[in-house]
Amino acid sequence: MSYPKKVTICDVGTRDGFQIEHKFIPTATKIEVINAIIAAGVRKLEVTSFVSPRAVPQMADAAEVYAGIDKSRGAELVCLIPNRRGAEDAAKAGVKTALLFLSASETHNLTNVNRSVQASLDGLKDVMAVANGAGMAVHGAIATSFGCPFEGDVPAERVADLAVRMRDMGMHHVSLGDTTGMATPPIVKRVVEAIRRRAPALELTLHFHNTRGLGLVNVMAGLEMGVTHFEGSIGGLGGCPFAPGATGNICTEDCVNLMHELGIETGIDLDALCAVARRVEQFLGRPLPGQVMRAGPRSKLHTIAAAKRAVG
Ligand code: ZN
């Protein structure tokens, strides 16, 4: 089995993770976390969302957050944009990369944004015109790519069809979201293969959730298919909207640890990233699901004197 030599891991924690936090996280704290993630070597982040503050109050400070981010290291700063208004606000804020999304499942799309998938596709063109007019690069995201909590399996051809349409609109990068953690390795292979057949040059990102413990197993399936872009969330921030208390996004540090153990370069300093995860855990005041942030990498050895006896 040969894996890619190098991958890009995008951290989505300050958008996908923070957005479900009820208590408002101060703008300065958000900026501090984003800049610390960048300082640890992460070169792509989904930083915030230009969504209506009534819909998601936690993202009301998107423009201020964007303004405070350290741009000197050349990290790609992706902003989620749900509609035309969001694109106009993002343009004013100087955003360079927009992420536009829809769901592969008709029922999930209706529940999430109250319109059909076709209406969403038409809407994307409008948002894209504003984003392109402002000189932004536009990436696409397809939610429920590996299964829908209402409809069950989503046909791989349907996901491929949407990916092709996004490419034809001018998006050179499409992220496949496992919104409720329903992906399994065979499904990942089927979906990636279906897209590769029809859009071999389209750059794919895999966005897995660890809801059922298969997050990193699915990352392995992606690596085996030669995928080189993955998304994770610092400390494993985020949850599953349909299963209260269940784990959401895979954890960025755990994913980085896996890559390094496979000999795959990420450019990320794992210790520095774990320190950021612990800082996030501290200000949120509850344990996060990340594992390497607690155990440390396997190269971290312990002294016998400090060890407790353990069997098993
Ligand atoms: Zn997610």
Side-chain angles (χ1 to χ4, degrees), residues 3-195:
Y3 298 118
K5 286 205 162 40
K6 217 177 137 188
V7 294
T8 299
I9 297 180
C10 168
D11 189 87
V12 302
T14 58
R15 199 287 297 170
D16 195 342
F18 280 0
Q19 73 171 10
I20 63 155
E21 295 296 326
H22 294 296
K23 203 171 151 229
F24 188 77
I25 299 162
T27 306
T29 307
K30 288 175 182 144
I31 295 170
E32 179 202 318
V33 171
I34 293 168
N35 286 344
I37 293 172
I38 294 171
V42 176
R43 283 297 165 265
K44 187 174 178 188
L45 299 88
E46 195 176 308
V47 285
T48 186
S49 172
F50 283 80
V51 65
S52 151
R54 262 173 301 130
V56 188
Q58 186 65 260
M59 297 286 121
D61 56 357
E64 293 98 300
V65 167
Y66 193 82
I69 299 173
D70 172 14
K71 320 254 183 344
S72 70
R73 296 178 202 244
E76 187 172 16
L77 308 171
V78 182
C79 295
L80 191 78
I81 294 179
N83 50 34
R84 191 188 175 94
R85 172 76 197 272
E88 287 162 359
D89 291 345
K92 269 184 237 146
V95 169
K96 304 265 189 301
T97 308
L99 180 68
L100 275 46
F101 66 95
L102 47 65
S103 283
S105 138
E106 203 62 64
T107 318
H108 186 265
N109 205 64
L110 269 172
T111 313
N112 205 27
V113 291
N114 201 24
R115 38 161 75 172
S116 68
V117 172
Q118 186 55 53
S120 271
L121 275 168
D122 295 340
L124 291 192
K125 284 183 197 146
D126 191 35
V127 181
M128 199 144 173
V130 178
N132 283 336
M136 287 181 226
V138 179
H139 295 184
I142 305 175
T144 64
S145 283
F146 306 99
C148 163
F150 310 115
E151 295 180 11
D153 289 340
V154 172
E157 281 309 322
R158 183 174 171 79
V159 182
D161 192 53
L162 291 169
V164 166
R165 293 217 222 174
M166 286 175 143
R167 177 202 63 186
D168 292 347
M169 275 183 213
M171 301 183 191
H172 9 162
H173 208 119
V174 170
S175 168
L176 306 176
D178 184 22
T179 316
T180 58
M182 291 173 73
T184 65
I187 299 175
V188 172
K189 289 188 178 172
R190 265 204 303 277
V191 173
V192 171
E193 256 165 24
I195 297 174

